[in-house]
């Protein structure tokens, strides 16, 4: 969901070596059009754009629209333009994306929720609210899995997910949460 122009979608296709099936969706048709052109140009056979029935997906990646506060280190001017009203609209959109993902996720399937925000309201709050409404989902603790690849404790991990902080990593800030549908 929120496939945009498809950089992560194409990366997933490459990681899967053309196996499996990836369904890409974005509400903004122009962005999806760019991805469709890229898929055709790259001759990727395992990416489609056919959103079918609910309860069908093993994994749903929600790269949700957000405030982008995690990028303010390299785009400080965005602080000037950002308004609280915009944050409220984004929170509503993020919540709806999670609700739609829940409908598409099959039992035993997973939802990965990602933002390039470091704000509690867009991250932990969204997951906490989602879990209050969907008792059939649990947070997956992937802290130990990450430690296999990152030796130092370079991130903040709480019960709702992982926050990568620009001040520690000298990169953009991100939040990642993984949820599993249990019933």
């Amino acid at each position: 969901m929120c496939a945009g122009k498809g950089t992560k979608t194409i990366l997933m296709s490459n990681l899967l070596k053309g196996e499996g099936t990836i369904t890409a969706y974005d509400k903004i048709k122009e962005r999806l059009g760019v991805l469709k052109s890229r898929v055709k140009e790259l001759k990727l056979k395992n990416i489609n754009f056919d959103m079918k029935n609910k309860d069908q997906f093993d994994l749903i990646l929600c790269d949700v629209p957000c405030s982008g506060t995690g990028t303010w280190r390299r785009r400080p001017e965005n602080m000037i333009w950002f308004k609280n009203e915009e944050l409220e609209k984004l929170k509503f959109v993020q919540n709806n994306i999670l609700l739609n993902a829940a409908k598409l996720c099959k039992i035993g399937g997973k939802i990965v929720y990602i933002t390039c925000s470091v704000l509690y309201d867009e991250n932990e709050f969204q997951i906490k609210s989602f879990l209050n409404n969907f008792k059939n989902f649990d947070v997956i603790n992937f802290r130990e899995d990450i430690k296999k690849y990152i030796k130092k404790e370079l991130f903040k991990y709480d019960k709702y997910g992982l926050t990568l902080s620009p001040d520690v990593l000298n990169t953009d800030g991100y939040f990642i949460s993984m949820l599993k549908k249990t019933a």
Side-chain angles (χ1 to χ4, degrees), residues 88-123:
E88 292 307 312
K89 288 178 187 174
L90 286 167
K91 286 170 45 181
F92 179 76
V93 169
Q94 293 160 355
N95 181 60
N96 282 338
I97 291 167
L98 277 170
L99 295 176
N100 288 327
K103 293 174 192 172
L104 295 169
C105 189
K106 70 182 190 181
I107 294 173
K110 297 172 185 158
I111 297 173
V112 178
Y113 177 85
I114 302 172
T115 71
C116 59
S117 171
V118 293
L119 298 179
Y120 172 84
D121 281 5
E122 294 184 278
N123 300 331

Side-chain angles (χ1 to χ4, degrees), residues 50-163:
D50 185 18
M51 294 295 285
K52 294 179 185 167
N53 301 322
K54 63 180 187 170
D55 299 331
Q56 69 169 348
F57 294 102
D58 297 310
L59 176 66
I60 302 167
L61 176 65
C62 301
D63 187 9
V64 300
C66 67
S67 64
T69 56
T71 67
W72 286 0
R73 173 188 64 85
R74 60 185 168 87
R75 293 186 188 141
E77 69 277 8
N78 288 347
M79 284 187 257
I80 297 167
W81 312 117
F82 193 71
K83 305 282 185 248
N84 273 343
E85 302 82 40
E86 189 177 336
L87 178 60
E88 292 307 312
K89 288 178 187 174
L90 286 167
K91 286 170 45 181
F92 179 76
V93 169
Q94 293 160 355
N95 181 60
N96 282 338
I97 291 167
L98 277 170
L99 295 176
N100 288 327
K103 293 174 192 172
L104 295 169
C105 189
K106 70 182 190 181
I107 294 173
K110 297 172 185 158
I111 297 173
V112 178
Y113 177 85
I114 302 172
T115 71
C116 59
S117 171
V118 293
L119 298 179
Y120 172 84
D121 281 5
E122 294 184 278
N123 300 331
E124 295 91 349
F125 175 80
Q126 288 290 18
I127 300 303
K128 183 178 178 181
S129 296
F130 177 82
L131 293 170
N132 283 337
N133 292 318
F134 289 89
K135 304 294 185 197
N136 60 332
F137 280 86
D138 292 325
V139 175
I140 298 171
N141 184 336
F142 55 94
R143 180 184 202 146
E144 294 305 314
D145 294 330
I146 288 175
K147 283 185 175 181
K148 294 175 192 172
Y149 305 102
I150 302 173
K151 300 300 179 199
K152 293 173 69 180
E153 192 79 20
L154 298 174
F155 44 82
K156 180 185 110 194
Y157 198 99
D158 68 21
K159 67 180 185 175
Y160 298 111
L162 166 104
T163 301

